[in-house]
Amino acid sequence: MEPWQVIVLLGAVILLYAFMLPKKPALKAEDQGGIPNDFEQTMEAFAVEFEQENKQLMNVILEMKQAHAEEVGGLKQKLQKLEMNSDEMAFLKEQISWLKEQRFDQAARTVQPAETVQNVSETIEPEAEAVAEAEMVPEEQPMEKQTMKQRYSELFELHEQGKSVEYIAKKLSMNKGEVQLIIGLAEREEDSRV
């Protein structure tokens, strides 16, 4: 005999034995209603308690999510402020170095006229005019350096085309804060010139 035939035969024997066993008397109606009702009430209580715990857990998760979002928002604001401060510091360093150059040039100019006054009796008048022309040329060049629009011409071309700060920053490989700072400083510069 094959194994599957043995299993089928064994199952048939068990079914016959089950039919031959005496049946238990039926439970009274009172007993039948009592056990399932207790079980149902217990299950309902368990389901209610489980649902309350789920709601509490969801509230805790929502609170954690909100706290996390607030913390991330605060960190983003701090990061933007730091980027703007670092960009502003770099710009201020450029301005300081430019001012130092201007002061040095101005100090050199104030010394040169004093020397020319002492040497007026010894020099010819055309040489004095050449010195005056040489002094005028450096004044024009720093003024060109001073304008923000000339320094960052590509940035202002994109800005005038109506491109967003994000686009300009990506295009020129700059920070958004740096682009905003340069645009703001250029506006201040134009206002101060007017």
Side-chain angles (χ1 to χ4, degrees), residues 52-99:
Q52 289 175 349
E53 288 178 2
N54 280 346
K55 287 180 182 178
Q56 290 174 351
L57 183 61
M58 290 299 290
N59 289 337
V60 169
I61 290 172
L62 286 175
E63 289 173 6
M64 288 174 56
K65 202 174 194 181
Q66 290 173 347
H68 178 69
E70 290 173 2
E71 185 177 345
V72 167
L75 290 174
K76 283 182 180 179
Q77 288 177 349
K78 286 180 182 180
L79 180 62
Q80 287 176 346
K81 286 179 183 178
L82 286 174
E83 285 178 351
M84 288 181 68
N85 287 342
S86 67
D87 294 340
E88 188 174 347
M89 289 297 290
F91 179 74
L92 289 175
K93 284 181 182 180
E94 287 179 22
Q95 290 292 333
I96 289 171
S97 65
W98 182 79
L99 287 173

Side-chain angles (χ1 to χ4, degrees), residues 132-178:
E133 289 176 5
E135 289 177 2
M136 294 177 90
V137 172
E139 288 179 11
E140 293 174 4
Q141 291 174 348
M143 292 302 284
E144 291 176 10
K145 282 186 177 180
Q146 185 178 359
T147 63
M148 295 293 292
K149 286 194 173 186
Q150 290 174 347
R151 280 189 197 169
Y152 301 100
S153 60
E154 188 176 356
L155 183 144
F156 286 102
E157 286 175 18
L158 293 171
H159 183 66
E160 288 170 4
Q161 292 174 2
K163 303 296 181 187
S164 68
V165 172
E166 292 84 11
Y167 177 82
I168 295 171
K170 285 181 183 177
K171 178 90 172 164
L172 301 178
S173 300
M174 300 170 82
N175 292 330
K176 289 191 296 187
E178 186 177 1

Side-chain angles (χ1 to χ4, degrees), residues 10 19 37 41 43 45 51-52 80 102 115 130 135 153 156 164 182:
L10 187 60
F19 282 119
N37 283 342
Q41 288 174 351
M43 288 303 291
E51 188 174 329
Q52 289 175 349
Q80 287 176 346
Q102 288 292 349
E115 292 174 357
E135 289 177 2
S153 60
F156 286 102
S164 68
I182 291 169

Side-chain angles (χ1 to χ4, degrees), residues 113-132:
E115 292 174 357
T116 55
V117 170
Q118 293 173 357
N119 297 329
V120 167
S121 61
E122 301 173 2
T123 60
I124 303 172
E125 190 171 333
E127 291 178 13
E129 290 176 4
V131 170

Side-chain angles (χ1 to χ4, degrees), residues 38-48:
D38 289 341
F39 182 72
E40 286 177 12
Q41 288 174 351
T42 305
M43 288 303 291
E44 286 177 13
F46 176 73
V48 169

